[in-house]
Amino acid sequence: MTLGGAECGIDDLYSKESRPSNNCVLRLFDNNYLAKTGVVGLGNTSPQNTWRNNFRLQKGIVCYASSKDLADHDFLNQNRLNCRYLQPVQQGSLKNATCILCQSEAKYRGEEQPKWLRAETTVRGESYSLVDMANIQNFLPHIAPNGQRIPILPLIVALYHDPLPGIYVSRKEVDINDFASDYGFSQEELIAYFEDKKQNQYNLQLLKNFPSVDYTPISQSLLKAVVSVPAISKLSSDRQIKEIPNPILSEVEIPEPGSNSGWGAQQYVMEVLRNNDWIVYDVSQQRCGYDLLAEKGNKRKYIEVKSSLGSCSPTLTEREWQKAKEYGSDYWLAIIENFRVESQNPIYWIHNPTENCNAREITVIQYSINRSSWLVAVNDDLDIEKL
C-alpha cells in the first residue's frame, strides 16, 4: 500500500457515516472525533493528517529491513537500539538516530515502537506491507500493556456502529466470529488481546445499558458468542458487499509480506497473465473479494488465487464468495497445488465457482470447495487468450 491510500483507508475504517467529514474519524480510545485526512477540522486552520507520522521513521513503527529479516522473530522482537542497521547520534538513545536502509534523511524522534510495518522506497514514494501479524509477542505490549486487555463488547459496538457504506458486510447481529474474520484474529489472538469477562466494568456497563444483548464469553463459547447490539441497527439489511468501494488500481508492485500468505502464488499467476498481454492489478490487500483484477481490451476478470504446498481444497471467505456470486462468469479461481517458488507451476482455472463447484458453509462463514469438485470443473482446454 502507498502512503496516501493507507491514510485514507484507516480514515474510512474509523469514520462514522452520520457525522460531517470535518468531524467524523473516531479516536477510539479518546472519546472524540477528528477530520478526515485532507479536510480542515473544527477549530483548525490546516488540513488534518492524523496518520502521517505513524508511517514515517520518526514515529518508529516502520522498518526498512528485508522481508527475510522481518520473518525472523529474533529480529522482529529486538529492541531498535540493538538493530545492526541503526546509526545512533548518542549511544543508548534513538533520538535523532538514522537507519542506513532508509533513503531519506528521516530521523527517529526517540519513541521505541514495535516493527509493525515494512517500508520500502519506490519510484512513487514509499510503499508499506504488514509484518508477521500472527506474532502475538510483537503486538501484545501495545495492544494489552501490562496485561490490560481491551474490553471486547464496547470495542465491537464502537467499530460496527454507523460505518461508512461498504466497510462491513450487512449484519443485524455481530458475533465474535464476524469480528475475528473481519479483522483476521485467531482464537489465540482474541484471548491474548481482548477482555471477554462479563465482570469487566466496561463490558458490564454495556450489558446493563442493553439488556437484549445475548453474550457468552469467548473462553466458554469457543467463539460461538453472539453480540446482538441495538446500537448496530443502523446497518441496513439490504446493504450488500457490492457497495464496497472500487479497488484502487496502481501499477506499484506490492512488496512481499514477512509471513507466508500466498503472495508468491499471486505473483506467479499475475506474471502468467501479463505474459499473455493482460493488464493486471494486485488488489490483494484491499479486501475486495479477489486478489487480481485483469483487463484486456473490453474484458475484465476478477481472479482469486488459492495455493498450497500439497493438495488444495480452497476456502473462500464470505466476501470472496459474495463477490464470486456477484461477478459470475467474470470471476475465476486460479488454483496452484504443490506450489514451488522456483518451479513451473500448473494453474487450474475454475470459472464461476459459485455455479460450477459444490461448497459447504463452515462456521466462520467461508466456503470450502473439495478438490474432487473443482477438478471436475477444470477447463482443460482453456486458451488463456480466450479467458
Side-chain angles (χ1 to χ4, degrees):
M1 60 181 174
T2 57
L3 180 57
E7 290 173 335
C8 294
I10 299 175
D11 273 355
D12 287 347
L13 176 63
Y14 291 107
S15 291
K16 298 305 177 183
E17 184 181 15
S18 63
R19 300 182 67 91
S21 62
N22 66 344
N23 191 31
C24 70
V25 181
L26 175 65
R27 291 292 298 270
L28 193 57
F29 301 106
D30 295 336
N31 196 30
N32 72 333
Y33 294 86
L34 296 174
K36 298 193 74 171
T37 297
V39 178
V40 178
L42 298 175
N44 294 336
T45 58
S46 59
Q48 184 71 35
N49 199 333
T50 305
W51 315 104
R52 176 184 58 200
N53 290 333
N54 292 301
F55 288 91
R56 302 298 189 190
L57 181 70
Q58 295 95 319
K59 190 69 175 177
I61 70 167
V62 301
C63 180
Y64 290 86
S66 67
S67 297
K68 182 178 179 180
D69 280 335
L70 289 170
D72 179 351
H73 283 196
D74 288 337
F75 180 86
L76 196 62
N77 296 328
Q78 179 190 56
N79 188 295
R80 288 178 184 263
L81 285 170
N82 300 324
C83 180
R84 60 183 177 272
Y85 302 121
L86 184 74
Q87 291 185 311
V89 172
Q90 181 181 349
Q91 201 65 29
S93 174
L94 276 179
K95 188 172 182 179
N96 294 324
T98 58
C99 172
I100 63 175
L101 301 178
C102 178
Q103 297 181 21
S104 71
E105 298 180 357
K107 298 179 180 180
Y108 283 100
R109 289 179 174 177
E111 293 104 324
E112 169 63 29
Q113 307 282 9
K115 300 162 186 173
W116 287 349
L117 289 174
R118 177 175 180 264
E120 182 176 25
T121 303
T122 69
V123 294
R124 299 191 182 186
E126 285 191 347
S127 62
Y128 301 85
S129 58
L130 296 173
V131 300
D132 186 359
M133 295 296 291
N135 184 359
I136 292 176
Q137 294 307 312
N138 189 43
F139 300 95
L140 191 62
H142 284 255
I143 297 178
N146 300 317
Q148 297 296 310
R149 296 178 297 166
I150 301 171
I152 197 165
L153 293 187
L155 175 67
I156 288 177
V157 173
L159 289 173
Y160 284 84
H161 171 63
D162 195 25
L164 295 181
I167 296 297
Y168 301 108
V169 180
S170 175
R171 298 187 181 99
K172 293 182 178 179
E173 293 182 332
V174 178
D175 66 25
I176 292 178
N177 275 322
D178 295 328
F179 171 69
S181 177
D182 288 342
Y183 289 92
F185 289 117
S186 66
Q187 181 175 350
E188 292 77 13
E189 290 168 321
L190 287 173
I191 293 172
Y193 299 150
F194 305 108
E195 176 59 75
D196 66 315
K197 294 180 180 178
K198 290 183 178 180
Q199 294 81 0
N200 174 271
Q201 61 174 318
Y202 301 105
N203 289 335
L204 185 61
Q205 181 179 343
L206 189 144
L207 290 170
K208 286 182 177 179
N209 290 342
F210 298 96
S212 63
V213 170
D214 177 18
Y215 173 69
T216 303
I218 300 168
S219 54
Q220 296 179 23
S221 66
L222 297 179
L223 304 188
K224 300 294 185 182
V226 173
V227 183
S228 179
V229 185
I232 305 177
S233 62
K234 187 173 178 63
L235 283 171
S236 169
S237 61
D238 61 359
R239 181 176 291 165
Q240 300 296 323
I241 283 185
K242 65 183 180 180
E243 292 183 355
I244 294 173
N246 291 328
I248 300 170
L249 303 184
S250 171
E251 295 182 4
V252 175
E253 298 297 327
I254 304 298
E256 179 180 0
S259 59
N260 180 20
S261 60
W263 182 88
Q266 293 167 10
Q267 299 301 303
Y268 184 87
V269 173
M270 184 162 60
E271 187 65 22
V272 169
L273 289 165
R274 285 177 173 171
N275 288 340
N276 285 272
D277 300 323
W278 286 85
I279 298 172
V280 186
Y281 301 97
D282 184 346
V283 297
S284 57
Q285 297 183 15
Q286 298 184 39
R287 294 175 53 79
C288 296
Y290 48 90
D291 294 318
L292 307 175
L293 193 155
E295 296 178 335
K296 182 192 289 188
N298 61 357
K299 296 180 180 179
R300 172 174 277 200
K301 303 298 178 186
Y302 307 88
I303 300 165
E304 176 64 25
V305 180
K306 298 295 183 182
S307 63
S308 70
L309 300 179
S311 297
C312 186
S313 293
T315 297
L316 275 67
T317 65
E318 183 182 21
R319 185 180 298 263
E320 291 163 358
W321 189 257
Q322 292 295 338
K323 279 298 183 184
K325 291 173 65 176
E326 178 184 338
Y327 291 129
S329 61
D330 288 330
Y331 194 100
W332 290 76
L333 286 182
I335 297 178
I336 305 180
E337 294 190 309
N338 305 303
F339 177 71
R340 299 294 182 269
V341 174
E342 302 298 333
S343 303
Q344 292 294 316
N345 297 277
I347 302 173
Y348 299 96
W349 295 96
I350 313 302
H351 177 231
N352 198 358
T354 60
E355 292 294 327
N356 294 322
C357 297
N358 295 322
R360 59 184 177 86
E361 186 175 313
I362 57 180
T363 305
V364 294
I365 318 181
Q366 295 176 328
Y367 296 84
S368 179
I369 301 174
N370 290 330
R371 185 173 187 271
S372 59
S373 177
W374 68 257
L375 278 175
V376 175
V378 168
N379 289 262
D380 292 320
D381 58 348
L382 175 67
D383 182 350
I384 199 168
E385 288 287 336
K386 298 179 180 178
L387 180 65

